[in-house]
Amino acid sequence: MNPRLLMSSVALTLAMVGSSALADKASDTLNAAFTKELESVDSYFNSAREGVILQRSIWDGLLYLNQETGEYEGNLATSWQWVDDTTLEMKLREGVKFHNGEEFDADDVVYTVKFVANPENGVVVQRNVNWMKDAEKIDKYTVRITTNGPFPAALEFLAGPVSIYPNEYYAEAGPAGMALKPVGTGPYMVESVDPGKHFVLKKYDGYHGGPKGKATIGTVDIRTIPDVNTQLAEMFSGGLDFIWGVPADQAEKLAAMGRLNVVNESTMRIGYLELDAAGRSGADHPITKLAVRQALMHAIDRKAIVDNLLKGKSKVVHSACFPTQFGCEQDVTTYEYDPEKAKALLAEAGYPDGFSVDLYAYRDRSYAEAMLAYLADVGITANLKYLQYSALRDMRHKGETSMSFQTWGSYSVNDASAITSQFFKHGAEDFARDDEVKAWLDVADTAVDPEVRKENYSKALKKIADEAYWVPLFSYNANYVFTKDAAYTPTPDEVVRFFHVRWN
């Protein structure tokens, strides 16, 4: 929709609702919206940001990363120490109960680790769990987790995507049952799930507190509303109290109206074009040629997209990682916007008149369409194939896409292993299949010496840039819009913590 038409409709809606309440504060219910349909609430069987957001409210990890200090704090664990390079011993918090009344202890940690670390159980993002080898119960409130070789980023993952599940319940319910009736120890418990459409969370009065603190809002009611314009209309009519991911132009106009809180914050998510350099989708595809990939790098004006579409705190990125992540080398080959150079490289590769290619995407259609226009300017006809995230992910896992517009938020793990190693170590989403890059990443992921880690991440990222395996595009920012009756401070890790939302 044209932004002017959108804002006209929003203004009309505003006039219609007049002074009606913009929040459901009276019933102590925060009404929120997801834009993307979540395939499963089970945190190990989805890879979506919406899943991460629910995970942090419903479940707890052993550790917690304080966003203000950058320090790890005990959550379900109260203390921890490395026994050796591959063994982490943790003392567990006593007196914690799961939402179904099941007592939390070492058996739950051991069961969870053994289940998720077994590749046969099919955890969607293997990188989040495949560093763990096993877990051993020392006593009721002491466990030891062993890793598959030294893994310095272990604490990052234990403070992020590794949730602890109730062993008795999960053994019976499995992923399918957990997706419909989630049970955790987090500040919110789940009252109901309408898969992919509607999720109702209730404050867990028995929450242990810990570093997250107890939730203050009684109910969080989340509906999936794919259309942002519909979300905005509901914000004005009082049907919604909290949304995020609002496009920059609309956010600016909403802020000018002064009726809602509009906050912009950077995120760890980056956008990139994934290029099939390895020829998984076809050995003779143009993208298997280095000059073509370099042409793609020069063809897209990333700064213009940032300045005109993303705005806010977004920046152009040049490396295959988020700049603040440990090991994210920034001194790599860069490719400035230069359409004439792109045309010359295409001619050098044997495509003086360009070629046709399918560009797959699952979000941010306007960004993808901007890239189509830039590619067309250098003679590349890109046909946009816009799919649901899960469908596109399955195609990529099978190696069926030659070029796709992807984003990755690293599960908010501030370490290059959470992104570079996810996509360049010969897994299902590796379209480079470079043995040298993989070898460097293997060392970087497991070295105990931080300088050795940095050196090997640097080597890998420099080659990724030299070979133009990806077209890194930009970092994302997020525009949060919420009622004046609510208070919330977003964090750069792109995790909406409903348990930190307060009524004014």
Side-chain angles (χ1 to χ4, degrees):
M1 178 183 285
N2 183 295
R4 291 184 179 178
L5 293 178
L6 165 67
M7 297 316 297
S8 294
S9 80
V10 168
L12 177 60
T13 305
L14 179 60
M16 291 171 61
V17 301
S19 60
S20 65
L22 293 179
D24 203 1
K25 181 178 178 180
S27 65
D28 198 21
T29 298
L30 185 79
N31 296 293
F34 283 164
T35 302
K36 187 166 63 179
E37 184 173 309
L38 183 63
E39 56 188 311
S40 173
V41 179
D42 187 320
S43 68
Y44 290 110
F45 291 89
N46 73 75
S47 58
R49 178 58 41 172
E50 290 78 0
V52 176
I53 290 167
L54 287 180
Q55 176 227 359
R56 303 299 169 89
S57 286
I58 300 168
W59 291 280
D60 284 317
L62 291 165
L63 303 179
Y64 182 78
L65 180 61
N66 186 311
Q67 293 296 308
E68 293 183 3
T69 66
E71 299 294 326
Y72 299 112
E73 300 176 359
N75 194 0
L76 289 179
T78 56
S79 64
W80 56 95
Q81 64 175 352
W82 286 100
V83 177
D84 55 45
D85 287 349
T86 60
T87 307
L88 181 64
E89 182 171 292
M90 312 190 86
K91 297 291 185 180
L92 304 180
R93 188 182 295 273
E94 300 182 25
V96 175
K97 288 186 180 293
F98 287 93
H99 301 150
N100 63 351
E102 194 175 320
E103 183 182 8
F104 163 75
D105 57 27
D107 291 330
D108 304 297
V109 179
V110 171
Y111 181 88
T112 299
V113 171
K114 285 180 177 291
F115 180 87
V116 301
N118 183 351
E120 294 181 2
N121 288 324
V123 170
V124 169
V125 183
Q126 279 292 305
R127 185 68 195 159
N128 288 343
V129 296
N130 64 10
W131 56 274
M132 294 184 289
K133 181 180 182 180
D134 203 357
E136 175 189 5
K137 176 181 178 179
I138 304 303
D139 58 42
K140 186 172 184 179
Y141 293 108
T142 308
V143 296
R144 285 186 174 180
I145 296 174
T146 54
T147 63
N148 286 305
F151 189 68
L155 301 185
E156 278 281 341
F157 284 84
L158 292 175
V162 179
S163 306
I164 303 302
Y165 282 8
N167 65 317
E168 296 173 12
Y169 178 74
Y170 203 51
E172 178 181 346
M178 186 65 92
L180 292 175
K181 293 184 178 180
V183 173
T185 61
Y188 278 103
M189 57 193 300
V190 178
E191 181 177 77
S192 64
V193 172
D194 182 357
K197 298 178 181 178
H198 193 190
F199 316 92
V200 180
L201 310 182
K202 289 286 186 181
K203 180 173 64 175
Y204 178 36
D205 291 329
Y207 186 56
H208 61 84
K212 289 182 177 178
K214 294 188 176 185
T216 63
I217 292 179
T219 302
V220 179
D221 190 304
I222 308 166
R223 287 176 290 137
T224 301
I225 304 175
D227 182 60
V228 174
N229 298 337
T230 303
Q231 291 184 20
L232 291 170
E234 287 216 29
M235 283 294 299
F236 281 112
S237 68
L240 287 174
D241 309 308
F242 192 106
I243 61 177
W244 64 97
V246 176
D249 287 348
Q250 289 129 314
E252 289 173 351
K253 293 182 174 66
L254 290 169
M257 290 180 179
R259 290 289 301 273
L260 299 164
N261 289 313
V262 180
V263 182
N264 180 267
E265 183 54 84
S266 62
T267 77
M268 287 181 63
R269 180 173 300 276
I270 69 166
Y272 59 94
L273 289 185
E274 182 177 74
L275 307 178
D276 186 15
R280 293 174 63 189
S281 61
D284 297 325
H285 198 282
I287 289 176
T288 61
K289 298 184 179 182
L290 174 58
V292 169
R293 298 195 302 274
Q294 292 173 328
L296 290 168
M297 286 278 205
H298 288 295
I300 298 170
D301 191 343
R302 293 171 288 177
K303 188 175 187 305
I305 294 175
V306 167
D307 290 345
N308 295 300
L309 295 179
L310 284 92
K311 302 182 179 180
K313 295 185 179 181
S314 290
K315 296 180 180 178
V316 172
V317 296
H318 300 286
S319 199
C321 47
F322 184 75
T324 67
Q325 289 177 311
F326 179 90
C328 185
E329 177 64 73
Q330 297 300 296
D331 184 18
V332 300
T333 300
T334 59
Y335 301 81
E336 299 305 321
Y337 175 56
D338 190 338
E340 294 307 314
K341 189 167 186 177
K343 292 176 184 177
L345 284 164
L346 289 174
E348 175 188 322
Y351 303 98
D353 300 319
F355 60 89
S356 294
V357 62
D358 290 333
L359 171 61
Y360 290 86
Y362 71 96
R363 62 176 287 172
D364 303 317
R365 191 180 190 113
S366 62
Y367 305 171
E369 290 174 343
M371 287 184 269
L372 297 184
Y374 285 120
L375 294 176
D377 286 345
V378 301
I380 298 174
T381 302
N383 308 301
L384 182 59
K385 304 290 185 180
Y386 201 76
L387 306 178
Q388 290 288 331
Y389 174 77
S390 57
L392 178 52
R393 184 194 62 211
D394 291 345
M395 287 187 67
R396 292 168 55 235
H397 283 186
K398 296 174 185 177
E400 296 175 350
T401 58
S402 54
M403 180 167 66
S404 63
F405 169 38
Q406 297 294 315
T407 78
W408 189 251
S410 297
Y411 271 76
S412 301
V413 172
N414 203 29
D415 192 277
S417 63
I419 180 168
T420 313
S421 300
Q422 168 73 20
F423 296 103
F424 290 96
K425 287 182 66 170
H426 294 14
E429 296 173 301
D430 184 354
F431 283 81
R433 302 299 169 103
D434 187 311
D435 291 336
E436 194 171 34
V437 169
K438 180 183 182 298
W440 285 323
L441 292 175
D442 283 338
V443 174
D445 288 349
T446 59
V448 176
D449 186 338
E451 295 307 314
V452 173
R453 298 190 72 209
K454 289 179 183 178
E455 177 186 358
N456 283 273
Y457 281 131
S458 175
K459 290 177 180 178
L461 288 161
K462 283 177 181 289
K463 186 171 185 183
I464 290 167
D466 290 343
E467 296 293 326
Y469 289 143
W470 272 13
V471 179
L473 296 167
F474 36 69
S475 65
Y476 273 74
N477 68 78
N479 290 300
Y480 300 78
V481 179
F482 48 96
T483 171
K484 291 283 189 180
D485 281 343
Y488 181 66
T489 302
T491 51
D493 63 356
E494 201 187 356
V495 176
V496 177
R497 293 173 171 82
F498 288 119
F499 46 90
H500 285 168
V501 183
R502 304 283 188 270
W503 295 125
N504 286 322

